[in-house]
Amino acid sequence: MPQAKNFLKNIVRFINLKISNTAWIGPAAVSFMVADSCDDRCIFCGDYSPYSKNPGNSHKREPMGTACFKNVIKDLRRLHVQKIILAGRGEPLCHPDITEFVKTGVENGLQVLVRTNGIALDKKCKDLVYSGKVRYEISLHAAHPETWQLIHAGRTAKDFQGILDYIGALPEKLRRGISFINVLCQLNYREAPDIIKLAHRLEIKEVYFQLAIDRDLNDLGKSRVGLKESEKPIMLEKLLEARENARSFKIKTNLNCIISQIKSKFDSKPVDAPGRPAGLDRSNACYVGYLNTLISSDGDVLPCCNYGGSLGNIKDLSFSLIWNSPSYRDFRDYGKRGMFSRIPSCVYRQCQYYGLNKKVQRVYKNT
């Protein structure tokens, strides 16, 4: 029954995006950036990387308040939101009340996904892992301890092995609730086939990838992290190999999307095409304004993780009012019309929602 209801909600959203900039129901998923503190220093992170342009910018913000979180959850239920993602500009397991957040989501009938580096999973959410009601997406980024240490600056091979041992000790049924997410950069893209093999060994059935964005790194970081056009041929070769491994092992991935992204230029800029029609551009559009949203630890509502600004704050207005505010309706309009230069900090083809938008486009063309 819940699956049927979610299917109907998604049909409503699809009809909605074709007809109106006013959202009829809430997004399918809401990401809560519950904590800005972190116990890791991933090299491509704009906040915690040793190469960050502005180290410490978000570290001073307080974690999201538990009462504030619970109030928003009530609003999301009324808007027919299906899923919440507990993440952060840092590590969500650093939040002192993360267990309460997870329980609140489950008790309100929401799908709950925790996006974590996995380092503290056995300490913070062990009981919740064993409940089988929560999914965990582990930011692995590597298949081998040497590479993992380079990406997770300051961590050791023992930390990496500890994550693998913890996953390996879980019953098979619970491992189905774990997926891997891997940000591809210069240091790890050659390991994509081995990441799939590692997932197979651990009986993980979902592995996802996204491209590193070096916008918030200094010049040294860009030279060591950023993906380069000259490396495209070897990247495609490794990702095609990874895709074959995934097919062989029956592991779900988004590699078709990533391969498509890599075939376009990494340095593509969000430019409005001259003479672009006022209607929907089916070949080049963004629909995330109907499907997903983010709420920062201090309450700012962002339509996507790359958005440079805020569309409102839940401490001042309810999420429902922000969701259909004039600025949010403008964001939907710009996205649908492909007017990406009017969206602050849009990263265009490098965006993690690239695959989601392509899926919507395929459905649109067939209706």
Side-chain angles (χ1 to χ4, degrees):
M1 192 67 175
Q3 288 183 334
K5 286 183 178 179
N6 289 341
F7 179 73
L8 290 173
K9 291 174 187 177
N10 287 333
I11 290 177
V12 170
R13 290 187 183 95
F14 180 72
I15 297 171
N16 186 179
L17 69 86
K18 294 178 71 173
I19 295 175
S20 174
N21 293 331
T22 299
W24 299 342
I25 61 175
V30 175
S31 294
F32 287 88
M33 304 167 82
V34 296
D36 287 352
S37 58
C38 194
D39 55 1
D40 209 349
R41 298 181 69 204
C42 296
I43 60 168
F44 34 64
C45 176
D47 294 301
Y48 288 94
S49 170
Y51 307 122
S52 175
K53 285 181 183 177
N54 303 296
N57 263 6
S58 69
H59 308 185
K60 298 176 183 178
R61 293 192 296 197
E62 293 294 319
M64 178 174 284
T66 306
C68 178
F69 175 81
K70 290 183 176 182
N71 284 335
V72 178
I73 291 296
K74 293 176 184 177
D75 214 5
L76 299 187
R77 285 195 65 185
R78 289 191 290 268
L79 288 170
H80 304 287
V81 171
Q82 294 146 232
K83 176 181 180 180
I84 61 170
I85 301 168
L86 302 179
R89 298 187 74 91
E91 167 56 45
L93 298 190
C94 287
H95 195 293
D97 289 336
I98 187 62
T99 302
E100 185 65 23
F101 282 20
V102 173
K103 287 180 178 177
T104 299
V106 172
E107 289 169 358
N108 280 274
L110 293 163
Q111 301 169 33
V112 180
L113 172 71
V114 180
R115 186 168 290 148
T116 171
N117 58 34
I119 293 169
L121 196 55
D122 61 330
K123 302 179 183 69
K124 289 292 185 78
C125 289
K126 186 174 182 179
D127 292 341
L128 295 169
V129 170
Y130 276 87
S131 74
K133 294 181 180 180
V134 185
R135 293 189 60 84
Y136 291 86
E137 188 173 75
I138 296 178
S139 304
L140 201 63
H141 311 313
H144 305 293
E146 300 82 7
T147 307
W148 191 86
Q149 285 179 262
L150 291 173
I151 291 174
H152 298 260
R155 287 289 173 178
T156 67
K158 184 179 179 181
D159 295 322
F160 177 69
Q161 192 59 48
I163 295 170
L164 302 189
D165 290 346
Y166 179 72
I167 295 171
L170 290 172
E172 181 183 353
K173 181 180 178 180
L174 295 178
R175 269 177 274 168
R176 294 175 196 159
I178 292 178
S179 58
F180 289 158
I181 181 71
N182 308 276
V183 176
L184 295 173
C185 67
Q186 283 189 49
L187 295 175
N188 66 356
Y189 72 80
R190 292 176 177 82
E191 290 189 12
D194 289 343
I195 289 173
I196 298 295
K197 291 178 181 177
L198 175 61
H200 174 64
R201 194 169 77 240
L202 292 170
E203 298 179 293
I204 301 298
K205 295 300 182 182
E206 295 183 29
V207 180
Y208 301 106
F209 298 87
Q210 65 187 70
L211 302 182
I213 297 172
D214 59 11
R215 177 182 61 198
D216 296 321
L217 303 183
N218 59 31
D219 290 341
L220 180 59
K222 289 179 179 179
S223 68
R224 294 183 176 180
V225 174
L227 298 166
K228 294 180 170 57
E229 185 75 19
S230 60
E231 296 177 302
K232 183 188 292 186
I234 185 66
M235 288 184 68
L236 286 173
E237 177 186 329
K238 291 297 181 182
L239 292 177
L240 288 168
E241 182 183 347
R243 186 174 67 179
E244 288 306 308
N245 288 349
R247 287 173 176 170
S248 175
F249 298 141
K250 297 182 179 180
I251 292 174
K252 181 181 178 181
T253 75
N254 63 337
L255 281 166
N256 284 338
C257 164
I258 297 297
I259 289 167
S260 175
Q261 281 183 279
I262 289 171
K263 287 179 178 178
S264 65
K265 291 185 177 180
F266 294 127
D267 59 354
S268 296
K269 302 297 181 185
V271 178
D272 296 340
R276 185 180 297 283
L280 184 63
D281 179 348
R282 299 184 184 184
S283 64
N284 190 26
C286 175
Y287 311 98
V288 72
Y290 295 86
L291 305 174
N292 288 13
T293 197
L294 291 88
I295 302 176
S296 72
S297 61
D298 53 5
D300 283 332
V301 176
L302 294 76
C304 77
C305 57
N306 296 306
Y307 189 79
S310 169
L311 297 182
N313 193 292
I314 56 173
K315 295 177 182 177
D316 304 320
L317 292 170
S318 70
F319 178 80
S320 301
L321 290 175
I322 297 169
W323 178 239
N324 264 323
S325 63
S327 55
Y328 222 127
R329 293 197 298 269
D330 286 344
F331 175 85
R332 295 185 187 107
D333 182 52
Y334 297 149
K336 287 197 300 185
R337 293 165 63 188
M339 301 173 70
F340 300 115
S341 63
R342 298 196 184 184
I343 299 175
S345 304
C346 178
V347 294
Y348 201 36
R349 291 192 182 101
Q350 288 185 344
C351 180
Q352 67 176 10
Y353 295 116
Y354 180 90
L356 176 65
N357 287 323
K358 286 299 180 185
K359 285 181 181 178
V360 176
Q361 287 169 8
R362 284 196 295 271
V363 175
Y364 191 100
K365 289 178 181 178
N366 293 320
T367 57

